Structure formats: C-alpha cells, structure tokens
Amino acid sequence: MKRVVWPLVLALVLAACGDAPSPARLRDIGALLPPLTFTLHDGEARTRRAADFAGQVVVLYFGYTHCPDICPTTLARLAGLVRRLGAAAARVSILFVSVDPARDTPAVLHAYAEAFGPRVVALSGSQEQLGALARRYRVSYGLGPADGDGQYEVSHSSAVFIFDPRGRARLLATAEDSDADLLAGIQGLLAAGGNERWDGAR
Amino acid sequence: MQPDSAWAYLLPWEFYPAVVLFCGGLAWLYIRGWRRCRHSARPAGYAALVSFLTGLGLVYLVMHTYLDYLAQHMFWIHRVQHLVLHHLGPFLMLLAGPWEVLRAGLPVSARARWLPALARNRPLRLLYRGVQYPLVAPLLFVGLIYFWLLPEVHFGAMLSATRYQLMNWSMLLDGLLFWWLIFDSRPASAVGRLGYGGRIVILSLVVPPQILIGAHMALATESLYPVYNVCGRAWPISPLTDQQIGGLVTWIPSSMMSVLAMLVLLRRWMREREGAPLRQGSVS
C-alpha cells in the first residue's frame, strides 16, 4: 500500500509547489492570492480603487507612518529600486497602505509619500476597508498599548506583494530577498506581454 | 484586528456556509434522533449527548469564530485548531457512538431511500473500505499531519484561502474516519468490524510519528514556518517560542489522545468479554 500512497503524496507536494514558472527568485504566489481589489483613500482624500492602477506593476506594502524603522527602510529601498528602472518606473506604483488611519490622516499620508518620491502612493481607509484588504491578502495587524503621550506601536506584516499589470498577485518579497531579485521580479512582470486585460475589481 | 466586544469574538472571522451547514445539520440530526431514541429499547444516554455535542461544538469554535483568525496568524494556535479538528472534536463525537442516533434523526424518507442507496453504492463502499483499511487508516492519519506541515505546503495553505479550507476540512474528515474506525460501537458480530486488538495496534502506530514531528518542531533552533513572519503574527511573540509551543501541542496532547482511546477500548473489550451488551451510544 505504501507503494501507492507515497507517489501520490509526492505528486501532491509537487503540485502544491510547482506552479507556473516564476520570473525571478522571489516567491511565486500566482496560485495563492486573489487579484488586486480595494477601495481606500489617498493623501488628497480622494477615493482610490485597485482598477486605478490597471496597466501598472503594483508593489503593495502594509505599514504606518509612525513606524520607527521597518516601514521607512522598506519604502526607501523599494523606491530606490524602482528609480533604477529608468523610464519603465512610470509603470510601477508602490502602494503604502497605512493600517493606522487614526494618526495617518490624508495630510500625513501626503507628506509621507512625498518623501519617498513620485512612485509611492500612501493610502489608508476605514477599519472595514483596511480589514477587507488585510483579510484578502491574509495579513494581520494590531495596535499596541498607548504610552503616556498617546503614542503606540503597530504590529503589521512585513510582506511585499507584487501584482502584474493585470492585477494578478504574482510575487511575494520579504526583507531577506536581494535587490537583484526584487528588480528582476518587477522587470519580469513589466516585460510580460498580454497586459491589456484587468483581472481585479473595477 | 481585534473584535470590539466580547460577543464579537464568537462571530465568524470568515463566513463559511459549509461549516454552518455541517455543524448545524449534524447538531439538528443528533438532537432529533436522541429525543426519538429516548423512549426506545436502546436509548442513548446523557453522556453520549454531551460528548457528541461538545465535540461538534469545539469543531465549530475553531473553524467559525475569532479563533479561525488567530489560527491563521499564530502557529501554535493553528496546531491547537488541528488538535481539535483531527483529534479532540471527532474523538468526542465518535466516542458517543452516534450512528444509530443520527439515523433515527433522519426523516423517514431519507432513512428508507438514501441510506440504503448510499450503503449499496459500490464506488463509495470501495473508497470507504480503502481508507478504513487497517494499514491505510493510520498512514492517512499521520500522513495528513506531515503533509500539511511540510514547510512549502504549509506556506501555500496559510496564504491561499482555498488551500486553507482544504487543509482544515481534510483534517476534520480524516479525524472523523479515524475515530469512527477506533470507536466502532457495533456488536462483535458486525461485518467488517475491526477487533479491539487491531484498533489498539493502530492507536499505538500513530503515536511515534506524532511525537517525532512534534519534537522536531519543539526542538528546532530555526524558524521552520516563515509564513507567520511574512503575514504578521496575531500578537508579538518570538517565532521560536511560537514554534516550540506548537511543537509541544503536536507532541504531547495528540499522543495522549491515543492513550485515552486505548483505555476506552480496553474497558469496552473487558465488558464485551464479560458478556455485558454495550448500551447503544454508550460513552465508555
């Protein structure tokens, strides 16, 4: 019976790991997460939807502007990498989603995004909107206890989700991935043809 | 991402109609059947009622409340979830020997038509015989634990909503099948009933692999499941501490369930030898 079961288990394992070939050495999440869908607001308090970014490679990252280290370093790194793309940078948007809307008002978001250059868009939303997005991409966040000045830490996911111009979830990057891999991943998604369609929500 | 009121902890994190149908349907069938059997020649006792509903209630709690969120964002709570889905919940449900009661709970037409048709269905019977074959059942039981804990597979299951559901349902269904085989409460003369000795052997076979994988996780010095780092943990806790607790949950209580089941079986075995007929739906 073992003879039957083990090849079966192996086949399942291979099926679970061996999805479509990845354009880079970042983790391929093509089969795991749904297409980009959200309704949030930006630094001008305008409503922004996922479809606004159709035709662009979207780099999605969750954080908050009072974040002491991880968020600014990650954003600076991503913005620096995208700048290296030259003219193609115009087809990449880095979406920074603040999960701390109480402190991150549109004005704060606007100033924060500006510090990282033109390709960064800072977004936030109501608890329902943020919750829906976090649930969709299976990330968690939580507010820590407030100190004497009413300041608090926010725990959040460290994942960088990368979507292709059709809005499909494609790659997952973490702090451990190299600049070269990240750049190759984004370039791969930009180079792939057939991007006229949009798979996310309108 | 915390509920704002105490009640909200009991609300589903994600609404799954299948869980509501499954748990609600079984609870309805069981309670209906239990009341019908109440005055029959072979009533099921209160102990059986409590055991079945507790097991079913636990399954519902880990799948359809805030615990479901915690299980997605904390490794050790995920292990507790699987302990309930694969061991504790089905253990308590099948300990109650619920089949006669559930059958009595069915509407008459279903009992007269569907059940015999299902029992006659050849592919279904073959499949059932296959998965309950004394060598396959323990292999499937342990194999599923190992499969979903392969780091790559685990990563996918925690990121993809579909795979996560598949993982939890496969654990629950296999748990039900396994403890069904172990706590088969039909009389010794029933066709295809596995003897007590064989069941005890199966129970002892599944212990060492569970200890092994539990210890492997509890004693590992590096994080085996980075997906919880990537997606964020439910509250701040070091990844290794999370993994160690998760390993211990897989190691100790899971193996204890086998020992408990052996004690139950030994007691039933002795009673059967003494010639006392098992009461329908008796718990011990």
Side-chain angles (χ1 to χ4, degrees):
Chain A
M1 190 47 74
K2 269 186 183 167
R3 245 185 243 167
V4 185
V5 173
W6 282 114
L8 207 73
V9 170
L10 198 67
L12 276 170
V13 175
L14 290 177
C17 310
D19 296 309
S22 157
R25 272 168 294 166
L26 302 181
R27 190 180 282 270
D28 185 341
I29 50 167
L32 300 177
L33 291 169
L36 192 61
T37 296
F38 63 79
T39 307
L40 297 166
H41 63 253
D42 64 8
E44 268 84 48
R46 284 178 304 187
T47 300
R48 300 301 291 267
R49 292 191 173 81
D52 299 347
F53 300 93
Q56 305 231 327
V57 167
V58 167
V59 180
L60 177 69
Y61 180 68
F62 294 85
Y64 65 118
T65 67
H66 288 66
C67 178
D69 40 33
I70 298 221
C71 309
T73 45
T74 306
L75 277 180
R77 184 172 166 220
L78 291 173
L81 280 173
V82 170
R83 219 169 286 135
R84 279 162 59 184
L85 291 170
R91 288 179 55 214
V92 181
S93 287
I94 301 166
L95 305 189
F96 171 75
V97 176
S98 165
V99 293
D100 183 17
R103 287 184 295 184
D104 292 341
T105 58
V108 174
L109 289 175
H110 180 80
Y112 193 74
E114 208 140 71
F116 295 101
R119 298 322 307 159
V120 175
V121 182
L123 303 166
S124 194
S126 66
Q127 285 304 339
E128 288 73 41
Q129 289 169 335
L130 292 170
L133 184 61
R135 207 172 295 211
R136 192 171 174 86
Y137 295 103
R138 301 177 80 77
V139 299
S140 112
Y141 59 88
L143 307 185
D147 65 12
D149 304 326
Q151 298 302 312
Y152 47 87
E153 272 194 50
V154 178
S155 65
H156 58 90
S157 123
S158 63
V160 174
F161 300 96
I162 306 177
F163 297 81
D164 69 13
R166 283 171 63 173
R168 296 177 299 186
R170 294 296 296 275
L171 300 169
L172 178 79
T174 65
E176 281 103 67
D177 289 307
S178 71
D179 283 1
D181 284 347
L182 261 162
L183 207 55
I186 295 173
Q187 277 168 333
L189 295 181
L190 281 170
N195 288 332
E196 307 74 32
R197 280 178 51 193
W198 172 250
D199 291 10
R202 287 265 161 214
Chain B
M1 299 176 103
Q2 271 191 342
D4 21 25
S5 72
W7 271 113
Y9 282 93
L10 289 177
L11 294 177
W13 174 248
E14 274 167 273
F15 182 75
Y16 309 121
V19 175
V20 178
L21 275 176
F22 178 85
C23 293
L26 275 184
W28 177 76
L29 271 186
Y30 191 85
I31 293 172
R32 211 167 109 108
W34 189 85
R35 290 174 63 172
R36 281 191 183 163
C37 290
R38 193 88 195 99
H39 304 291
S40 71
R42 304 194 309 166
Y46 280 100
L49 178 76
V50 170
S51 181
F52 185 84
L53 292 182
T54 307
L56 189 62
L58 284 172
V59 166
Y60 180 84
L61 278 184
V62 296
M63 283 181 111
H64 224 223
T65 64
Y66 189 63
L67 275 172
D68 179 43
Y69 162 75
L70 294 178
Q72 290 175 33
H73 293 286
M74 196 66 93
F75 179 68
W76 74 266
I77 298 182
H78 150 75
R79 291 317 302 155
V80 171
Q81 184 190 44
H82 274 201
L83 178 67
V84 170
L85 288 179
H86 201 212
H87 294 69
L88 192 55
F91 181 104
L92 288 173
M93 288 166 73
L94 275 307
L95 182 64
W99 299 111
E100 281 303 309
V101 176
L102 288 173
R103 215 176 84 91
L106 280 173
V108 178
S109 61
R111 232 182 303 164
R113 270 184 243 144
W114 304 352
L115 271 190
L118 273 181
R120 273 197 309 268
N121 187 298
R122 227 180 122 68
L124 204 67
R125 270 173 55 185
L126 278 176
L127 183 71
Y128 175 74
R129 284 245 195 94
V131 293
Q132 296 293 62
Y133 186 71
L135 266 177
V136 178
L139 204 67
L140 207 59
F141 189 79
V142 170
L144 267 180
I145 300 177
Y146 273 69
F147 175 72
W148 292 114
L149 280 171
L150 289 171
E152 272 307 304
V153 175
H154 198 75
F155 199 101
M158 282 299 163
L159 222 49
S160 152
T162 322
R163 289 188 196 177
Y164 177 75
Q165 282 299 297
L166 190 68
M167 169 175 77
N168 284 351
W169 279 103
S170 69
M171 294 308 270
L172 176 60
L173 292 181
D174 181 58
L176 289 169
L177 282 171
F178 183 81
W179 298 107
W180 181 354
L181 180 70
I182 296 299
F183 291 134
D184 189 345
S185 56
R186 292 174 300 164
S189 54
V191 184
R193 194 189 88 150
L194 186 61
Y196 284 109
R199 295 190 227 175
I200 289 174
V201 170
I202 290 180
L203 283 171
S204 51
L205 276 179
V206 300
V207 172
Q210 293 188 83
I211 292 183
L212 201 68
I213 196 167
H216 168 66
M217 294 186 291
L219 304 176
T221 48
E222 56 178 28
S223 176
L224 300 168
Y225 302 105
V227 68
Y228 299 89
N229 275 358
V230 170
C231 295
R233 283 189 165 74
W235 67 84
I237 173 175
S238 104
L240 273 189
T241 312
D242 186 11
Q243 190 169 290
Q244 281 157 0
I245 304 174
L248 288 177
V249 170
T250 313
W251 178 353
I252 296 166
S254 314
S255 323
M256 287 294 295
M257 301 297 296
S258 273
V259 179
L260 275 177
M262 284 183 204
L263 292 177
V264 171
L265 289 186
L266 282 175
R267 200 181 134 141
R268 284 189 183 177
W269 199 355
M270 287 192 309
R271 277 201 185 171
E272 202 172 276
R273 280 193 160 174
E274 286 160 11
L278 263 181
R279 201 162 60 129
Q280 167 57 34
S282 118
V283 164
S284 55

